[in-house]
Amino acid sequence: MTTDRLAAPPAGPAEKKKDPARPRRMVSKAFVYTARVVLCVGFLALWETASRRGWVDPNLFGRPSGVWRAVVDYLPSDRSLDSLRTSGAAVAVSFVIGSVTGTAAGLILGLSPTLNAIVGPFLAPVNSIPRIALAPLFIAWFGLTMTAKVVLAVSIVFFILAENARSAVRSVDADLMTMARVVGLKRSSLLLKVVLPSAVPTMMAGLRLTFTYALLGVVASEMVAATGGIGQDIVLYSSSYQINTVFAILVELMVIAVVMNWLFTLLERWLLRWQQT
């Protein structure tokens, strides 16, 4: 008897095992979303219960129902809209200035080994200075103006994006850079056709991060000293123990950050559409 006769016959269509990968991923995704909802609802329910039963002081910790009422009352108010315009203008200006100058500086350092060897070591020590400690200095220099807030936020955004862009350039495949130079690409063409397309994912991640830091820098500066803005509202309502309104403002900031992160994600997909072809 040969080994061919002893071999088991091939499995028919009905005997083939189904690939469990897809259902398993679907179940896992549904479980993750359900767990997130349960976690949020459970936290809010516990917070509301603790506040109503006196486990925590509602004057210090607020309660979700009070936060919701504060959201409905505060966000459409004239004060909220004026503060949003004041802080939003400062964030927009600081983000544009910081992102453009920081990205340009990082690209220059990444493409110039000599300049990077001279200037690069200074980035980390200067970036380690707490910006909030410089807020009084900027206010002394520029007064209670938007300039002081913009300078503080730019000082945060610039160094983050400079380091981000420098690392993105240095992470480009060395063989790709060599081939680009062999075929005769000049520095400008090398930057536009090789470096930037390869560095887009890293740089977009930096932009998403630095917008949040620009927002935080402006709000922190307003909390130190300012004539208006979201930071001033936080200080005002905190000092008067209107904690629910403070949480409403924090919810507003979170929503702004989430929306901007989503917009940057869409922009990144559009810039990287060539990868799908």
Side-chain angles (χ1 to χ4, degrees), residues 17-97:
K17 294 182 179 179
K18 296 181 179 180
D19 183 11
R22 184 178 180 82
R24 189 175 301 169
R25 282 197 298 268
M26 294 177 62
V27 172
S28 177
K29 190 174 182 180
F31 173 77
V32 168
Y33 283 123
T34 302
R36 290 175 181 174
V37 172
V38 171
L39 182 62
C40 292
V41 172
F43 172 75
L44 294 176
L46 178 61
W47 183 9
E48 182 77 20
T49 302
S51 178
R52 290 186 178 275
R53 295 192 176 185
W55 299 344
V56 296
D57 189 349
N59 293 322
L60 297 178
F61 295 93
R63 62 182 54 161
S65 58
V67 173
W68 173 249
R69 286 193 297 269
V71 167
V72 174
D73 294 337
Y74 168 79
L75 294 188
S77 66
D78 292 337
R79 181 181 183 87
S80 171
L81 296 178
D82 290 340
S83 298
L84 185 61
R85 281 192 292 267
T86 301
S87 299
V91 171
V93 173
S94 60
F95 178 74
V96 171
I97 295 176

Side-chain angles (χ1 to χ4, degrees), residues 165-209:
R166 182 179 69 161
S167 300
V169 172
R170 298 176 67 181
S171 65
V172 176
D173 189 358
D175 293 336
L176 186 62
M177 295 286 287
T178 302
M179 289 297 299
R181 291 190 176 95
V182 167
V183 299
L185 289 183
K186 303 299 182 181
R187 186 174 294 271
S188 58
S189 300
L190 184 68
L191 176 64
L192 294 175
K193 296 182 179 180
V194 178
V195 175
L196 286 181
S198 301
V200 162
T202 303
M203 294 173 62
M204 289 303 301
L207 287 174
R208 287 198 299 268
L209 176 66

